[in-house]
Amino acid sequence: MKQQTLKDTASISGVGVHTGQPVRIEFIPAPEDHGIIWYHNNLNHGLKIGTVVPESAQHATVLRSDGIMLTTIEHVMA
């Protein structure tokens, strides 16, 4: 299968679905064979997509690593 990435960096901002807190997400082009990596911007902590913990969520996809949790990422991935 042919790999694809973004041509340029893009970002969006809004309000967190569950927290009501302001959020901003940035999509950055990746090099070949890089895969998807999530970063918590306040801690610069990489969360790899393979760390899905579905049992901790109710109808949501959760990424968790070292006490950092990102929830409802399926909305972004769609």
Side-chain angles (χ1 to χ4, degrees):
M1 188 163 93
K2 190 174 182 181
Q3 296 182 10
Q4 296 182 22
T5 190
L6 302 172
K7 181 178 178 182
D8 297 309
T9 298
S11 66
I12 56 173
S13 59
V15 177
V17 174
H18 299 290
T19 65
Q21 298 294 313
V23 295
R24 181 174 182 274
I25 189 166
E26 190 171 57
F27 303 92
I28 303 170
E32 188 174 330
D33 294 324
H34 186 267
I36 298 170
I37 297 179
W38 298 81
Y39 290 94
H40 187 287
N41 68 342
N42 291 343
L43 301 175
N44 197 24
H45 186 87
L47 298 174
K48 293 186 180 182
I49 194 86
T51 60
V52 175
V53 185
E55 67 274 6
S56 69
Q58 294 180 344
H59 309 293
T61 303
V62 176
L63 302 182
R64 182 185 308 212
S65 179
D66 297 330
I68 304 299
M69 187 168 71
L70 301 176
T71 62
T72 324
I73 62 116
E74 68 274 11
H75 291 265
V76 174
M77 295 301 292

